[in-house]
Amino acid sequence: DNATGLYRTEFDLPDGWGDRRTLLEIGGAESFCSVWINDEPVGHHSDSRLASTYDVTPFLRTGLNELRVAVSRWSASTWLEDQDQWWLPGLFRSVRLISVPQVSLRDVVAIPGWSAHRGDGHLEVTVEVDAGPRPEPGWTVSVDVHDPRGRRVGGLGATEVPVFDRDSPLAELISGMTWEGSRVAANVDVPGAVPWSHELQVLHRVVAILRSPAGDVVDVRTLRTGFRSVEIGDRELRIHGEPVLVVGVNLNSFDPDRGRSVTEEGMRRDLALMKSHHVNAVRCAHAPPEPRLLELCDEFGLYVIDEANIESHARQASLTGGSRWAAQILARVSRMVERDRSHPSVIAWSLGNEAGVGPAHHAAAAWVRRTDPSRPLHYEGQVMFDLHDPADLTDIVCPMYASVED
């Protein structure tokens, strides 16, 4: 009654990986995924539309290694993934091994912004370092921002990575109350930057560099972003302070021959077709897409409503009104935001689709507004049955099936 796919492959670690950490990333698996390496259980996950990453370094050995993955069609999480869709279980996105240094860049975030009255771009940059339990002082992070012609137009000079102070009980107590982790955060200004929009796709390259206490380059991350502002004023959605007409479609990540396993060629074909018909926006219906799609939306110039992988469908009140799935709802929303917040194409976050209203939605909305106040929130569930309900969960009145009178 619960079809389960069993996947097995063997691999040798490439030369030079032995002194580093090895991560296993499973890009997409529907619905419940369990992982073993060399007969040792590594872990499991059940959010099918976002990647899950495991540090598999302790499980590897010299020579041949075996990876086994089991994917079951149905799980408890299926109740949160009840979108109107074809049920197509299994692995449908890339599975890959990633090599990182012992001390590495865990995450690089550059949330884009643009000042209409000054004509300047700015980035809210956060660089998180995976420094282990007892990092030595002296590690530094620097950030460079390059324009489309490759010129450095802004950045952050070498900044020391904070280290938790364990030298004495008193120092540890004080550090524990104020320490936010091994991360560097700063606002980077780019004067005179040309803004990104659906009409003009100006993309800048952000490069984060991690250096050891000896000054050696240990890790590098790059991403592309563009400068733009999003706001709601006088009941208008405004990009760069000006109202924009959104001509959008719902986009399901689906291929007619390959199902959920979409290709870059297919995604490019779809987006080119949209642009040729003057479509300038997509809503990711109803889950976060293949990561490459958002990069292509940055490139093509399409505004994106990024939607969390949450739909309880016909069991809206009974499922999301309690606490049983609350942690999953918050995790699915927050992981989506953490993955996609550097993309200029993403202009709003959606808490999901047809999933009722419950305390978990309020928690998720509060988390998003605290973490990324640069974008509005979209959630149809709060206004689905009452357009006049106080819309504390959504900044956009977005009924799907409103009457003509409404």
Side-chain angles (χ1 to χ4, degrees), residues 51-376:
S52 290
T53 305
Y54 302 92
D55 189 337
V56 297
T57 310
F59 305 97
L60 299 175
R61 61 195 180 199
T62 303
L64 198 63
N65 291 270
E66 182 191 62
L67 168 65
R68 283 189 285 133
V69 177
V71 183
S72 298
R73 181 172 192 168
W74 310 114
S75 70
S77 297
T78 304
W79 294 103
L80 285 182
E81 299 182 355
D82 193 14
Q83 293 94 345
D84 293 325
Q85 63 181 347
W86 297 103
W87 296 99
L88 294 173
L91 297 173
F92 59 92
R93 290 181 185 163
S94 293
V95 177
R96 58 180 184 156
L97 292 172
I98 305 167
S99 177
V100 298
Q102 293 293 337
V103 177
S104 63
L105 295 171
R106 175 180 292 167
D107 194 19
V108 177
V109 179
I111 298 178
W114 193 75
S115 174
H117 69 278
R118 294 200 317 266
D120 294 339
H122 58 270
L123 296 172
E124 185 181 326
V125 175
T126 304
V127 181
E128 187 174 356
V129 177
D130 194 343
R134 295 296 297 268
E136 58 182 319
W139 289 85
T140 63
V141 163
S142 61
V143 177
D144 295 323
V145 181
H146 301 273
D147 68 10
R149 297 173 61 183
R151 299 174 301 181
R152 188 183 187 277
V153 292
L156 175 68
T159 303
E160 187 163 349
V161 179
V163 176
F164 192 78
D165 191 349
R166 290 184 171 88
D167 291 341
S168 69
L170 179 59
E172 182 171 345
L173 174 63
I174 296 174
S175 296
M177 295 176 66
T178 60
W179 190 63
E180 295 181 349
S182 297
R183 64 178 63 191
V184 172
N187 289 316
V188 175
D189 293 324
V190 180
V194 177
W196 178 97
S197 72
H198 74 281
E199 296 174 317
L200 188 63
Q201 299 83 50
V202 181
L203 293 172
H204 289 65
R205 190 164 176 259
V206 180
V207 182
I209 303 171
L210 175 68
R211 288 182 172 87
S212 70
D216 298 324
V217 174
V218 174
D219 202 2
V220 178
R221 295 284 190 278
T222 65
L223 58 87
R224 291 194 307 172
T225 191
F227 300 105
R228 58 103 188 93
S229 65
V230 186
E231 62 181 346
I232 295 175
D234 295 330
R235 301 174 70 179
E236 292 178 325
L237 176 68
R238 295 172 177 171
I239 307 292
H240 310 317
E242 299 293 334
V244 60
L245 179 63
V246 173
V247 182
V249 296
N250 290 306
L251 175 66
N252 283 278
S253 293
F254 199 88
D255 184 281
D257 300 311
R258 298 166 56 89
R260 268 192 239 302
S261 184
V262 296
T263 65
E264 177 163 342
E265 178 187 10
M267 290 186 285
R268 282 186 175 274
R269 185 175 59 248
D270 284 347
L271 298 184
L273 185 65
M274 293 176 197
K275 291 290 285 192
S276 69
H277 286 79
H278 306 291
V279 169
N280 68 357
V282 297
R283 173 188 175 210
C284 298
H286 296 290
E290 167 75 41
R292 182 65 178 138
L293 179 77
L294 296 179
E295 296 176 354
L296 293 175
C297 287
D298 295 339
E299 177 185 320
F300 276 80
L302 284 152
Y303 301 124
V304 175
I305 311 296
D306 206 358
E307 191 154 86
N309 182 22
I310 301 169
E311 179 171 341
S312 55
H313 202 65
R315 292 170 176 80
Q316 297 185 37
S318 62
L319 194 148
T320 52
S323 62
R324 184 171 295 178
W325 276 270
Q328 272 215 53
I329 290 173
L330 180 58
R332 286 165 183 250
V333 173
S334 60
R335 292 181 69 224
M336 171 188 69
V337 172
E338 288 176 334
R339 189 192 77 167
D340 297 340
R341 53 189 165 172
S342 296
H343 289 282
S345 57
V346 177
I347 63 169
W349 304 111
S350 170
L351 300 181
N353 182 66
E354 293 184 341
V357 177
H361 292 101
H362 291 272
W367 187 94
V368 174
R369 288 185 168 124
R370 177 65 182 268
T371 303
D372 178 29
S374 72
R375 297 172 173 94

